[in-house]
Amino acid sequence: MLKTEGVTIRFGGLVAVNKVSIHVRKGQITGLIGPNGAGKTTFFNCISGVYTPAEGSVIFDGKHVEGLKPHKINEVGMARTYQVINLFRQMTVQENIMVGMHTRLKSNFWSDMLHLPSERKEEKFVREETEKWMEFVGLQDMANQQAGSLSYGKQRLLEIVRGLASGPKLILLDEPVAGMNSKEKEEFDALLRRILDLDVTILMIEHDMKLVMGVCDYVYCLEHGTLLAEGVPEVVQNHPDVIAAYLGGDE
Amino acid sequence: MAPLLELQDFHYYYGNIHTVKGINMQVNEGEMVTIIGANGAGKTTTLQTISGLTNSKGVRGKIIFDGKEIQGFHGHKVASLGLCQVLEGRHVFSKLTVEENLLTGAYLRKDTKNIKEDLKGIYKRFPRLEERRTQLGGTLSGGEQQMLAIGRALINKPKMILLDEPSLGLAPVIVKEVFKAIREINSEGVTVLFVEQNSKIALNTAHRGYVMQVGEVAMEGFCKDLLVDEEVKKAYLGG
Amino acid sequence: MKEKIRSNNLIKCLIAVVVALLVPAILGFSEYLCLIACFATIYIVAVSGLDVLFGYSGQISMGHAAFYAIGAYGAGILYKHLGVPQIPAMLIASVIACGIGALLALPASKLKFHFLSLATIAFGEIVYQIASHSPNNITGNFNGFFTDKLHIFGLQINTNVKFYFFGVLCVVVFLIIKNFIVKSRTGRALIAIRENTQAAEGMGVNVRKYKVIAFAVSAFFVAFAGGMYVNLVGYLHPDMYQQKQSVLFVTMMLFGGSGSLTGPVIGAVAVEVILESLRMFEEYQMLIYGILLLLVILAMPGGLVGAAKDLKRNILRRKALKQAGKEVK
Amino acid sequence: ACGKKDDKPADSTTKAAGTEAGKTDESKKEEGGSEAASGETFKLGAFLQLTGNNSVAGIESKNTLEIMIDYINDNGGFNGQKIELVCYDSQGSPEEAVKIASKLVQNDKVDAIVGSVNSSEILAAGKTINDSKTFMMGLGTANTWMAEDWPYVFRATVNNANLATNTVDMIVEAGFKNVSIFNGQDDASLSTADAFEKICGEKGIEVLAREMYDVGDTDYSAQIAKLIKGDPQCVYMTTSGNDIGAFVKQLRQGGYKGILFSKEIMSMRDANIAGNENAIYTAASYPYVIYPNIDACDDAKIKEVLQMYQDVYGEIPTTEVIYRVYDTMMVMWEATKIAGSNDSTAIKDAMPEVSIEGLGGPLTYDDGTREGYHTSKNWIYVGDGKNKDFTTWLAEDYDAYKSATGREY
Amino acid sequence: MSMLTQLIISGLVLGSIYSLIAMGYSLIYKASGLMTFVQGDILTIGAFVGLTFYRFLKLPYIVSVLLTMVIAFGIGFLLEKGVIRKLLNKNVMAIYIILATIAISYIFQNGAQAIWSSKIEYFPSIFPVDSVTIFGAGVQPEALLCLGAAAVCMVILHIFMTKTKIGTSMRAAAMDPMAAESCGINVSLNTGITWGLAAGIAAIAGIFIGPMYGVYVTLGATIGRKGFSSAVMGGYGNMYGAMVGGLILGLSETLVAGYISSAYKNMFAYILLIVFLFVKPTGIFNERAIQDV
Ligand SMILES: Nc1ncnc2c1ncn2[C@@H]1O[C@H](COP(=O)(O)OP(=O)(O)OP(=O)(O)O)[C@@H](O)[C@H]1O
Ligand SMILES: Nc1ncnc2c1ncn2[C@@H]1O[C@H](COP(=O)(O)OP(=O)(O)OP(=O)(O)O)[C@@H](O)[C@H]1O
Ligand SMILES: [Mg+2]
Ligand SMILES: [Mg+2]
């Protein structure tokens, strides 16, 4: 589904991501781990169009997408969440999800301005669809609350469902359970599986090894911008380099 | 012995939202105490209010540090009393170099000569920072930023240090390092109060713990007791 | 339930329109008071336009007097020199302003807050300079530009009372358009950009495009207001398009509260009325206005509409506090 | 500093009324005063720029208006009606002027209006006022607004275009063949400079350079460098407000020693800014001049007017708007007397018959131009706040100037 | 003397006045991330206060300058404490702070008129000579004072902001007030001092240009705006940038007026600014990215 080949990103002299090639298979959860500053987020930013790779290519569904603007990337079927929560804080939960559906809607400026029947019909569809998504993560009671006033965990959920609302084929999650406690993490596990059931593939950065080991089908480990190891979770977990650089020895 | 820090019937309001609903808490000198609890329980609010970083209008109740009532004090005033906080999400000064960041932490100190010494001490504890002393804070990796934030609080030679989710977003290996550092700091005589989502590591590190739930203290006790408590196990340690 | 809210809103709007139409009668058909009311309608259109830009897409402009000038001079020149009827002339001038706004926005939308405000100030100055040193003296430069009073299909709008009804019509049309724009996919995209540009882009919003749209729309509104102005007053002078005027727009918007339908309306009317009623203080008028403005900002950051919301919230908070007090006891 | 009206001694106006000017009008007052001694007041509206860039003229106008109104009221008012002033700050903004005009005419229902010193404001407000058939006298000096076809609008101040003609005559009289022009961009400065350039063309004076500046500019060195590049025999300048002093100073610093002709009279205050030495040899055509203090005034009538002002405000005004306002009010008074009524149309119709001696010469309105002044005087600044008659100066001091500066033409 | 020398020298002088104002803007931006519209009016107030001490109260010049600076510092400090800080504490949108500074600018301008009247006041020169000659061009001695003051201020401020503890802490406070507060920095006091300093510099500029142009209530209005443009051109927040930006603006104004047209010189200045913003928004000194998307 998503393939990168030799992606390299530089900031001035620093090579943040160095010739990274990964392969995300349809219907799977692929994990991306690595020490802090390894370049995981940067790599995500590159896939989602925030940065253009200096070298290498990003192929999504058989098409080259490197260098496309983020909003184009969203249009081709990739959605993402951010390491630092990036909600529209003053908008309500419902409106956040509505913005998420932006690319799926056809109305343009003129039909909006004139409030044409086609636009009205679409608005109705949007409202119904939004209800569905809120139910999906259990936010329906908070539809009219401002996103900024939600608790941290709920904000995370909202961010994910906002991404899902754009109807992506692939969703990129950047440390989705950071700041959640163990119980919430377990609930999250189940949510990931429900997302898979929607036919959405997942690529996820995570430091929580328990979660990674539990849900991922395939794991890549980055260090200093280069790929250190890849394979099914057990293989990566026991890889000596990964233990040295990332997991640390047992106490 | 009187506690170094004490909260008495402490409330906090964000506007009309009642986030902390009357908690009592003590931290004795030399102790290491942790607060755990679900998201939005009011842990950050509590820590930041102790440090005088929230709007003082919302504070009710008493905060006593070192025998002084400090509720409503400005942040810099609290810091000058020797109570320093490592903020949630690190908050390093992104456009200052590592060394400038650390020196800014020593802003309050009058004994300019000894700062050099203490700087060396910090670098000894976190050699990574010494390697990057001229790099801008904003370009450090997450773990390095966390170390920097801790170092910045330590250089002020505080009596007590508050840490808000020190493990947030850190790789497992770094988490271990950070908690090792916290233990060392405590063993050197600094009182520590920290908030942590990773309840397992928190309860394994601290002496005593408080469990917060929607603005109230649900449970408190020695960590070794909390670790085996069924409810805590179920809610926070994940089976 | 939702339908009920909607029809409730509709009734409120209708009442507002009816009240607006009764204003001349309330003012006793005084030509002077109606003139002030006419200016209020002009400002409502302009400030609502500015609000699309700032209140919704989060871009600031301290140079919208430029579009006001383009609309006014454009409408005047098209009518006077090219013989275009007045209403089409207003529309054409607004479209021209809209285009210029879009062109300006292409590079300007990249700039952050302070720098955007500066770029727009500079743009305002440039337009002012052109209006005052125009090629072939087409704007009349500092000697000013005269034109006729408005007439539509042979209907002479030669009194302020008559113009007022025309003004209300314009306000209603523009507010409806604004309402449609902000309550749609486009509007949500604009708010998303205001709230979090990065996330909006990530959600598939073409940030650049929508920023340009917001700019163009606001330029259209403001330019149309300029056209209204020239047809009301019949005289233009470059000094009306200095930065002071842009600041007045911003003041009105913020005074009422940005990012809402009612805010700009209330703001435009309130500031207009305040300025007018301070007139008796002669040379101290602007000093008092400055002090008043400062006090209002300090007392109600968020404007009148924001203050009303705060008040509501405060009452709720009082209740909550009281309840908490009881619980503690 | 400008709101001193309150602490005005109660008897100050009586004192002014007891002066000669008051006495000469005493007889006339009897005729008009007997007719309409009703308790009604004559509402005089005024719009003046009281704040901002050029507000000093507006404030001094307002001060003078108040003095003149007290004076006229003490002497019978307009046909027995006491005058009451309604004044607003137009802030230099044409839009404000429009609103004020409407307020004055429709809300305050004033009987007549005295207009702004700023021509742009008169242009904006004039139509409303004229259409409402309210008698108005403007205080500006630009030729633009008087060119509009507004039969209710008059003035008792000079017309800059006429002055420009006189100034060209001065240049011819001094024997100069060429000139450089420096002008401001407000409509009075601009239109005057335009008129001047045109007349120069007609009279065979070569214009070597023409430069301009914007309101708010403080540095003119680039313009000056260009102005004096061809070493013109003299320079003509139309500045507004506060700018003349700084310009003359910079011009002299640029090394220019020639005679400067100005749209405005050099005052002591401006000369101070320019540096007194620098301001010397600034010439202008104007009906009257500004004096540094009352003692320096050698014109009995003007002295009296200045005295009235000083009695109330503690100092004499810095601009010549005091004369403009005085003349304006006197002309209005005379017109109401002739009309025998305070109705705007009647006053308007009576205007052609007005013929009085203004502070700067005869004021007559019989030629249909609605202009009062048709003559002017020529002056040159000779330092210490003194202006000297230009022709006299040419005869007495020109040679000394030539040998001192080496500028012989 | 060629016209070019004359133009360059006057451009530099004019530019140095802009620079002084620009430094105030940059200082405030660097230390609090805020934008203000009152610098120009503080220049006016400074000129009037200086005038009052020097001409009306007949104090020695140096004393007048120092007193004026102290008063201006106080004004700036109080402004921050009384208005800006109050608004910041309420977490208002940045635009309301700008609007507040605009309101203050109205108050200053009209207040100055109420106190000192709208007449132009003559500020006696402190130098015995009216003009000195450099490279054949006549320059007012006060102009050289401006140039010198600008250069000195630039160096001092730059060192102050980057090399001293207080300077570093000010920058830290601008980046992250909460973290700064937790380090024991009195953020509120710091920013108060910054605003005070910025006001002090503007007031100096006012006292220096008073003798050149006379003192009147709108003296600072245009200069203030040009000063702001200069700050942006140089790189907002950078002291060297403020200086260089000011000089560039001053030079381009005089050169355009001298070689192209005086009617369009202000238009050229603003076109130059817009071009700068669009093409090189980080300014000549590359002070931090200011682009949004
Ligand atoms: N805009 C930038 N300019 C310069 N350096 C950058 C920039 N963005 C990231 N970096 C650097 O690139 C490296 C990789 O950063 P990145 O954020 O991708 O790490 P990460 O793997 O996501 O780490 P973490 O787990 O802590 O989030 C870091 O050293 C960081 O300092
Ligand atoms: N600035 C604010 N305005 C309004 N409500 C707030 C604000 N900050 C926090 N809250 C609310 O206060 C409550 C407590 O928040 P707090 O950040 O203290 O929780 P926490 O225990 O630290 O949670 P986390 O584990 O997510 O950090 C939450 O419900 C939150 O939504
Ligand atoms: Mg990351
Ligand atoms: Mg927290």
Side-chain angles (χ1 to χ4, degrees), chain D residues 291 294-308:
Chain D
Y291 300 94
I294 292 189
D295 295 338
C297 177
D298 46 12
D299 181 307
K301 210 162 165 191
I302 290 182
K303 201 166 185 168
E304 225 169 281
V305 178
L306 291 176
Q307 187 66 50
M308 277 162 71

Side-chain angles (χ1 to χ4, degrees), chain A residues 152 179, chain B residues 38-45 48 88 164-165 195 197:
Chain A
Y152 189 87
Chain B
N39 292 116
K43 308 181 294 291
T44 300
T45 307
Q48 292 196 345
E88 186 176 34
D164 199 350
E165 304 207 18
V195 162
Q197 283 293 348

Side-chain angles (χ1 to χ4, degrees), chain A residues 40-41 83 174-175:
Chain A
K40 303 179 296 295
T41 301
Q83 186 168 0
D174 196 345
E175 300 196 23

